[in-house]
Each structure stands twice: as C-alpha cells, then as structure tokens.
Amino acid sequence: MRPLGIFLLLLCACLTSARAQVWRTNETLWTAAADISIPPQVHWHLALAAFQRGDRTTARKELRFARAQLGTLDQHDPLVTLIWLWTDIIGM
Amino acid sequence: MIALVGLMALTVVVYLPLWDAGFVWEDVPPTAGAWHLMTLTPRALTAASMVWQAAQSVRVLHLTNLGIHLLNGLLMFALLTGVAAGWRFFLTGLWWLHPLQTESVSYLAARADLFLVTAVLLLLLATRFPKGLRELGMLVCLWLAFLAKETGAVAVGLVALWLYWRESRLPWRVLAVGALAALLLSAHFLSHLGSWTATAPPLGRFIGVQIAAIWRVFALLIVPVGLTPAHQWASMPPWLTVVAVLGAVIVLMGAFAVRQRVPSIAFALAWIVIALAPRVLVPVPHPLTEHQFALPMLGLWLMPTIGR
C-alpha cells in the first residue's frame, strides 16, 4: 500500500472509532426529547443566536430540538429546508 | 498476511467502544417476543442467531456483529484475487474501517444486513467452485441470503449481474430456481406487510425521497461527515427529490452509454440499483438508513474485479 492509502485507512479508523464511541453513549440525538411547548421556529432562532455567540453545544441542542419537530411545520415553509440542510447536509 | 492481521487488529481496536455498548433504539433484548416471532419470517437466520444468544450478554451480541464484519472483510479479500496486492489490502481495510459501516456493526438490529453481505460474498465465491459443486454452492448461498433478510431476494439479480459481467454467460437452471424462490419469498413478505405500509408516504414521494437519500448516503461514503442513525428524510424539501431523481436518471444513462469503455462503473451502478430496488420500490414507513447501504456499497468494492 502506498502512503496515501495508509493515511486514508488511518483517517477512516479515527472517524470510525469516534462514531463507535457515540454509539456507546447512546447517541444523544435519540434521547434528546424536544420540548414540544416551544415551536421549532423558536428553537431555530435560539440555535442561530447560540451559533453567533460561539456556543456550538447549545446551537446543536436547539437544532436537534428544531429538527425533531419539523413535522409540525408546513412542509413548504422555507424554514423546513433551512433546518434540513443544516442538520443533514452540513451536519450537527 | 501480516498486513491483513494488522488491519484486523486495527478494526478490533477501532470498535473497542462496543465492549460497553448497550441496547439502543430498535435493538431489543433477544429474549423479547419480537425476535422469537421473527424466526418465522424470511429473516429467520438473523433472528435465530439473536435468540440463540439470548442467554448471553449484550457484549456477546455486539462481538458477534464485529466477528461477522471481520469475516465479511476476509471473504472480500478472497474475492479480490487477481487484483493488485496494494489495492486488495486497501479495499479490504477500507471495508473494515469505513465510518459508514459503523452503523451496520454497532447496531444489533442491523445484523441482518451483515448476514446478507456474508451470504452474497459466499455466493460470489461459490461461482468459482468446480462444475457440479458450483451449482450446489450457489443454491445454498442463495438460501442463506433469503434467510438473512427479507430483501435477500436481490441476491439472485446480483449474482446474475456478476456472472454476466465476468463470464458473459449465466447458469440458467440455478438462476431459474433462485428467481422462483425469490418471487415466492417476495410475495410472502409483501403479503405480510399489511397495514404497516399504510403510514408510508405516497409512492411517488417515497421513491423521490429514497433516491435523494441514496445520493446523501453516497456522499457520506466519500465524505463521512454528518453520520446519524436518524436522518430526517421525511422532511426533505420536494424540489430536492425532483433534482435527485433527475440526477439519478442522468447518471444511469451516462453509465449505460460508457458501459463498454468503463465497464466497472456501469457494473457498480447496476449493482447499486439492484441491491436498493426493494428499498426504493416498496413503500414502508422507515426511509433508508446507513446500515442498509452495506450491500449496495459492496458493488463499489468489486469494481476492480470487473474486466479481469
């Protein structure tokens, strides 16, 4: 194997190890119960505010809450696309 | 050989966190009734293996998943005979270590996908057996695939594709028996879906979402950032599904056009289409997940064997 191949395999090993660790801790996403008394729009704005002040932990939490309630929004609402793109394409 | 053992050891180290992992989400302790019921379904092999381990700890269940994953890598290594040694080791290592495989290995409910990959790899290896033994081996492996998962019926199409591309001839008698069994299995499975499909979205929307999801998982294969067991495909914007379907049509037409010049790409795409056909065409409430991509991605790993 060439050095590039070995590097790619080691990179994969690091990423997979991190993923397996997340599985061990039960993937917080699964247990993150969204507060349904707060609409997803509010969670979205709280996430944006947290992101702007550099608090990525809170931003991720609020995004998860927003995403968990996407079904309550009109599916043509641009916010659905925004939340979906952020959480699934850009990642949390 | 040392490189192979080293890669295996690295894979075991990478998955060490599973030592303390518990049951999550759809993973139910195998003593629960659900798994016993499933021994009556086409997923009998998977269910039986879970029930058999009922008396063991969750650790044994996780280690078994890891063991099947390692076995699949070794079968892959055997199948890649003839490929340059460097590529052979790299592809085997990548199969073991790719982050997209984490869900198949870590998630006990995904054992069916691991077993299905094992059965298909054995099936492809059986095509190399001497005449006589080859037919028997293929039928046994097809049966294993049917018992691994409901979608195991795709194994018939996959082995036909493999033989057509590599040998330009097909063992019609074996494939006819396999296809008949696959049809019966599919009919049995579809007749038992019942009210479960009632909550699925309309077929057009379902197909669009699934194809867009395939694009996304394919992107995760290249850049594995954003992995999650709970993709929110259902809330996907409608315009994105249209773009995804158009993109898929263009890519497939392009692959068909260059099938003579670049047969490996056409083979891999045809493999993915066959492997994912049930997931795209049978509307179920649960959209595509990462672990369901284990069998389709095998087609990409087999690309270097095409044209040899």
Side-chain angles (χ1 to χ4, degrees), chain B residues 64-116:
Chain B
T64 305
N65 265 27
L66 179 58
I68 300 169
H69 182 55
L70 291 172
L71 171 66
N72 288 346
L74 290 175
L75 293 173
M76 165 93 65
F77 187 77
L79 203 59
L80 293 175
T81 309
V83 176
W87 271 108
R88 202 176 169 200
F89 282 110
F90 175 72
L91 288 171
T92 305
L94 195 62
W95 181 264
W96 276 331
L97 294 167
H98 197 288
L100 194 57
Q101 296 274 31
T102 320
E103 190 171 309
S104 317
V105 182
S106 309
Y107 196 18
L108 296 177
R111 182 176 290 185
D113 293 277
L114 287 175
F115 264 142
L116 184 53

Side-chain angles (χ1 to χ4, degrees), chain A residues 26-35 60-62 64-65 68:
Chain A
N26 285 8
E27 180 87 347
T28 47
L29 171 66
W30 304 357
T31 51
D35 184 348
R60 270 197 293 271
K61 186 188 77 178
E62 294 298 339
R64 281 179 185 141
F65 286 171

Side-chain angles (χ1 to χ4, degrees), chain A residues 1 5 8-10 12-13 15-17 19-21 23-24 26-27 29-30 67 70 75-76 80-81 84 88-89, chain B residues 14-15 17 24-25 86 90 93-94 97-99 102-103 106-107 216 227-232 235-237 240:
Chain A
M1 266 189 290
L8 284 175
L9 287 182
L10 289 176
C12 280
L15 290 170
T16 303
S17 180
R19 256 329 269 164
Q21 188 69 27
W23 273 87
R24 192 179 70 80
N26 285 8
E27 180 87 347
L29 171 66
W30 304 357
R67 191 168 89 161
L70 276 181
Q75 293 304 297
H76 296 289
V80 173
T81 304
W84 193 87
D88 223 290
I89 301 293
Chain B
V14 158
Y15 280 105
V24 287
W25 215 12
F90 175 72
L94 195 62
L97 294 167
H98 197 288
T102 320
E103 190 171 309
S106 309
Y107 196 18
R216 175 65 183 127
L227 294 160
T228 171
H231 289 283
Q232 298 296 304
S235 53
M236 190 181 294
L240 200 57

Side-chain angles (χ1 to χ4, degrees), chain B residues 140-154:
Chain B
V140 169
C141 294
L142 279 173
W143 189 241
L144 280 178
F146 296 161
L147 293 179
K149 199 176 179 184
E150 304 81 6
T151 52
V154 298

